[in-house]
Amino acid sequence: MILITGGAGFIGGNFVHHWFERCARLSLPEEPVVVFDKLTYAGNPHTIGEHLQAGRATLVQADIADREAVRQALATHRPRAILHFAAESHVDRSIHGPGEFIHTNMVGTFSLLEEARAYWNSLEGADKEGFRFLHVSTDEVYGSLSDTDPAFSETTPYAPNSPYSASKAGSDHLVRAYHHTYGFPTLTTNCSNNYGPYHFPEKLIPLMILNALDGKPLPVYGDGLNIRDWLYVRDHCEAICQVLEKGRLGETYNVGGINEIKNIDVVTTICRKLDALRPRADGQPYESLITYVKDRPGHDRRYAIDPTKIQSEIGWKPAETFESGINKTVQWFLDHTDWIDTVRSGAYRDWLDQNYAERA
Ligand code: NAD
Ligand code: DAU
């Protein structure tokens, strides 16, 4: 079996779905998963409910920084691989309160590495040889690009600009050091912005969809011309499966969607999709809700991934265009009001008040 930290979050939860669908599609044995997740505000067991109920997935609710809990989970479930998704992931939250980011992304990753290394050392023969620790990271560790800079490659120097990206950079360096120093069998992926089903509605795309449907302002930071390289989440999940199978130990692989789009264009695209699928009762276009608000401090201008290495070495490339992926995403949010209700907790409403009141 495999152990997935953060498997009740956005990408980890999609990965659990992808894993079982892929096993079926490729006629592979259905390999069970253990989801190790603290269930913070961003973790939602409903996301993977069908797999938990079917017994294919098991949930261990614990903190990756709790070494005893990690030790116990590894000893009980004896995974052949650890896929490390768990993190504090929202840049704006890291600006308001960086402490949790240091705790989970750096101290938590260190604790997990220590326990995973001890577990790996206890293995023998083919079990030890085949063990993998795959660390899921971000393109934000490379900093910000100008409009004319080449896209980030695996050799771009690290230059993180937010407490979030600095804490992810720290975790990447630890993973690298554990391979270099101890020979621990690591793989690292650095990915661009994901979007798709189960995306927590604090992030740009789901926030815009849900605010629009509620008739609320669509808050665009600064001039709206920042660029992100959007990747449909299932394409990312497939990349992780392939890196797990074929990646070279100690290597990092950049994963991107080849979809550089300005924020304002993302928002207007969503508005037009909703105009067609769910027109407003007052006949106004959703674009009339767009409101420019105070910028994010230290806002990175542009991210872009050069995916040459993963394409040539692993053979992965994204299946979705932004057009096909955003169509699926908007439709998913229209169809899954039950899931949306489960994440709109009191804690989420408090966050919206805190983040957007001060930008007015
Ligand atoms: P998310 O915030 O949706 O989910 C994070 C999950 O981790 C949640 O289920 C949460 O409960 C869990 N978690 C948080 N702290 C924990 C702790 N101390 N112990 C155990 N579990 C804990 O995040 P996401 O968007 O799914 O991102 C997953 C990973 O992918 C992160 O490492 C993130 O840095 C990376 N990443 C995300 C994106 C993106 O666009 N979302 C892009 C590139 C990389
Ligand atoms: O690049 C990968 C990263 O992508 C991941 O490592 C992070 O975990 C993930 O959260 C994401 O970070 P971003 O900061 O790029 O994503 P976010 O959805 O928060 O913002 C996307 C862009 O939209 C960014 O330029 C800020 C802008 N934005 C965001 C929000 C929430 C707005 O204009 N208005 C908003 O209300």
Side-chain angles (χ1 to χ4, degrees):
M1 68 156 59
I2 57 168
L3 186 139
I4 303 177
T5 73
F10 164 47
I11 305 176
N14 272 285
F15 185 87
V16 173
H17 288 287
H18 190 77
W19 181 255
F20 292 119
E21 285 171 24
R22 190 175 193 266
C23 289
R25 182 164 42 84
L26 301 180
S27 303
L28 299 169
E30 189 177 81
E31 186 175 8
V33 307
V34 173
V35 168
F36 189 100
D37 198 300
K38 186 178 174 182
L39 299 183
T40 67
Y41 78 92
N44 183 353
H46 292 282
T47 297
I48 51 168
E50 68 190 80
H51 303 296
L52 295 172
Q53 278 152 23
R56 295 184 283 268
T58 305
L59 177 64
V60 175
Q61 184 179 356
D63 188 333
I64 53 167
D66 179 347
R67 288 184 57 171
E68 180 55 39
V70 174
R71 194 175 309 147
Q72 208 176 323
L74 293 176
T76 306
H77 299 288
R78 307 199 61 75
R80 72 168 174 97
I82 296 174
L83 307 190
H84 179 31
F85 293 89
E88 286 293 333
S89 70
H90 190 32
V91 173
D92 291 319
R93 285 187 193 253
S94 83
I95 294 166
H96 285 267
E100 279 300 307
F101 289 72
I102 305 304
H103 171 79
T104 290
N105 301 356
M106 293 184 69
V107 178
T109 300
F110 162 70
S111 305
L112 185 66
L113 280 167
E114 276 293 88
E115 290 305 323
R117 182 167 72 92
Y119 168 71
W120 172 67
N121 274 326
S122 75
L123 300 176
E124 289 177 352
D127 288 346
K128 187 167 189 181
E129 191 67 22
F131 183 79
R132 296 287 181 272
F133 183 98
L134 191 152
H135 174 58
V136 179
S137 192
T138 171
D139 59 1
E140 298 201 16
V141 297
Y142 299 119
S144 183
L145 296 169
S146 74
D147 286 346
T148 52
D149 284 332
F152 302 130
S153 77
E154 288 78 2
T155 55
T156 302
Y158 273 35
N161 287 320
S162 72
Y164 162 68
S165 53
S167 66
K168 290 296 290 187
S171 69
D172 293 8
H173 291 322
L174 283 170
V175 171
R176 176 190 157 88
Y178 272 60
H179 174 74
H180 190 80
T181 305
Y182 304 115
F184 187 56
T186 64
L187 298 158
T188 297
T189 54
N190 292 83
C191 185
S192 62
N193 285 62
N194 285 217
Y195 67 102
Y198 306 108
H199 205 177
F200 193 80
E202 65 188 353
K203 307 281 170 62
L204 180 75
I205 287 181
L207 182 92
M208 293 298 159
I209 297 172
L210 297 191
N211 274 20
L213 291 173
D214 288 346
K216 292 182 180 163
L218 307 180
V220 174
Y221 295 172
D223 61 9
L225 300 180
N226 302 68
I227 292 173
R228 298 293 183 263
D229 181 357
W230 293 97
L231 176 68
Y232 191 65
V233 64
R234 287 299 195 100
D235 280 330
H236 184 196
C237 295
E238 180 58 25
I240 289 172
C241 290
Q242 293 190 25
V243 171
L244 182 65
E245 286 170 1
K246 300 182 234 170
R248 283 186 293 134
L249 294 184
E251 291 292 313
T252 69
Y253 295 90
N254 282 0
V255 189
I258 322 172
N259 269 317
E260 286 188 57
I261 308 178
K262 295 183 181 74
N263 290 343
I264 189 63
D265 294 336
V266 170
V267 177
T268 54
T269 300
I270 291 168
C271 289
R272 287 181 201 139
K273 301 286 171 200
L274 288 173
D275 285 336
L277 292 165
R278 187 69 59 85
R280 292 174 67 187
D282 61 7
Q284 293 294 308
Y286 284 100
E287 278 187 40
S288 64
L289 297 171
I290 291 175
T291 311
Y292 286 90
V293 298
K294 195 171 153 197
D295 209 353
R296 172 185 282 173
H299 195 175
D300 285 339
R301 193 63 172 171
R302 172 178 165 239
Y303 303 142
I305 285 275
D306 173 357
T308 304
K309 181 176 175 182
I310 191 169
Q311 288 187 353
S312 58
E313 213 178 278
I314 306 284
W316 171 89
K317 64 177 179 8
E320 303 289 348
T321 61
F322 188 68
E323 177 68 14
S324 64
I326 199 71
N327 283 342
K328 287 183 181 178
T329 304
V330 170
Q331 192 62 54
W332 189 90
F333 277 92
L334 288 173
D335 293 343
H336 289 83
T337 47
D338 51 342
W339 183 85
I340 294 161
D341 290 343
T342 66
V343 300
R344 282 178 150 170
S345 66
Y348 173 63
R349 284 194 297 274
D350 291 349
W351 162 251
L352 292 184
D353 290 345
Q354 187 188 5
N355 190 42
Y356 293 97
E358 71 180 27
R359 293 180 192 278

